[in-house]
Amino acid sequence: MFSLIQLESFVAVAEELHFGAAAARLNMTQPPLSRQIQLLERDLDAQLFERSSRKVELTAAGKVLLPSARRILDLCTKTSLDVRRVATGDAGSIVIGYTAIAGQAALPGILRKAGEQIAGVSLVLREAVSVDQLEALSRGAIDIGLLRPIVARPGVVTRPFMEDRLVVALPEGHDLATGNGVFLKQLDGLPLMMYSTAEARYFHDLVMRLYESAGVQANITQFASQAPALLAFVAAGLGVTLVPGSSMDFAPPGVSFEELRGPSGLADLNRADLHVAWSEATANPAVIRLLELILDDPQGAVGPVA
């Protein structure tokens, strides 16, 4: 059976893709690091890295192991913090999941509140798409999620947190980048950078509903799971996309934005709100306190809302 030091060594090498840099990060020399990787590969009976004199790359088996290894280490970190809190009387720990855009638009404000009001709480942050956050909440791997309202999940409570809408992202200098807004029909036939159905079903379905409402055919040419990746495609001039308005302040150079224009009913359809989610079974006082701060609920009335 593999050990935590083996997983820590593997994750360090997988993220650095350099044994020397990974060894420095772990405050160890390279030979024992290589030994830990060898032991892990022997225990799993699988090669995890392709090594050459010039580069290190993950094998297919390594790519499968990486997310699970991160989850195990996160859970171990959370468990260690919880046990230490019981032993020392510390205020507790909270694992927060967040999407890439939520990490820029919403997370800083939440961390600021936590720092001001519950400074003794240890926060563990984990970026993940909404569907993965729901799964992690169900397993108890995270305590609070900042996600899009994809589907109801038994045992998971959600509350609206931030109103948002989709806007059109265009390559800088595009003919439609006029500052006057864009009608969906004007996107007909343009290469569309689209959300993955597996990891970003909420946004994929929302974009498709918007296109269908205007009778526009979606000419999908690229897929990605997060808005920053889609914006990178747009900045490269490969097409257009629709992203949450909250992402406009964090876009790369080379991207212009236009509001979606259309009939009065468009505003009701074009909703991309951000929700806060947590397990209804949570008994962690630190989690409950942070939820009260996030939701401006000082009376302690945090309760189930589907």
Side-chain angles (χ1 to χ4, degrees), residues 170 174 176 186-193 211 217-221 239-240:
L170 304 156
H174 195 280
L176 296 180
Q186 294 177 279
L187 302 178
D188 194 16
L190 296 182
L192 176 64
M193 310 295 102
Y211 268 65
Q217 183 72 29
N219 177 24
I220 301 170
T221 58
V240 305

Side-chain angles (χ1 to χ4, degrees), residues 45-298:
D45 193 23
Q47 183 178 346
L48 303 175
F49 295 101
E50 293 284 356
R51 308 166 178 84
S52 72
S53 59
R54 290 184 297 176
K55 63 180 180 178
V56 176
E57 293 182 328
L58 281 166
T59 64
K63 291 176 181 178
V64 170
L65 176 61
L66 182 57
S68 296
R70 284 172 170 156
R71 285 195 296 269
I72 292 170
L73 293 175
D74 283 347
L75 185 58
C76 288
T77 300
K78 181 178 183 297
T79 301
S80 175
L81 290 170
D82 286 343
V83 172
R84 192 175 301 121
R85 176 196 61 185
V86 173
T88 64
D90 190 63
S93 66
I94 303 172
V95 181
I96 302 175
Y98 60 94
T99 63
I101 295 301
Q104 297 172 317
L107 188 60
I110 291 173
L111 298 181
R112 191 175 304 112
K113 283 188 176 183
E116 293 170 351
Q117 301 294 325
I118 49 175
V121 171
S122 299
L123 301 178
V124 179
L125 307 180
R126 180 179 168 198
E127 181 179 322
V129 295
S130 296
V131 65
D132 288 346
Q133 287 189 56
L134 274 180
E135 182 63 28
L137 285 165
S138 297
R139 298 195 320 269
I142 65 174
D143 297 305
I144 296 174
L146 300 174
L147 46 76
R148 305 294 171 175
I150 45 178
V151 292
R153 178 69 66 93
V156 175
V157 183
T158 67
R159 284 258 184 107
F161 176 64
M162 178 186 292
E163 292 186 357
D164 210 344
R165 82 286 184 206
L166 293 184
V167 296
V168 183
L170 304 156
E172 198 169 64
H174 195 280
D175 290 345
L176 296 180
T178 63
N180 298 317
V182 170
F183 288 93
L184 282 165
K185 285 188 176 295
Q186 294 177 279
L187 302 178
D188 194 16
L190 296 182
L192 176 64
M193 310 295 102
M194 188 52 150
Y195 297 90
S196 162
T197 56
E199 297 176 299
R201 170 65 70 175
Y202 171 81
F203 280 121
H204 179 279
D205 290 352
L206 176 55
V207 171
M208 291 305 299
R209 286 195 299 271
L210 287 168
Y211 268 65
E212 289 167 3
S213 72
V216 176
Q217 183 72 29
N219 177 24
I220 301 170
T221 58
Q222 300 286 347
F223 286 95
S225 62
Q226 295 270 27
L230 295 175
L231 290 173
F233 282 133
V234 174
L238 299 182
V240 305
T241 192
L242 274 65
V243 295
S246 54
S247 67
M248 290 192 291
D249 292 335
F250 315 105
V255 179
S256 298
F257 293 96
E258 293 286 340
E259 295 289 342
L260 272 177
R261 297 181 60 189
S264 58
L266 178 66
D268 295 328
L269 182 60
N270 185 18
R271 297 289 300 273
D273 297 343
L274 184 71
H275 282 211
V276 177
W278 66 94
S279 170
E280 65 181 6
T282 187
N284 185 334
V287 172
I288 294 171
R289 177 66 179 134
L290 182 55
L291 286 169
E292 291 169 356
L293 292 172
I294 291 173
L295 300 171
D296 292 323
D297 189 6

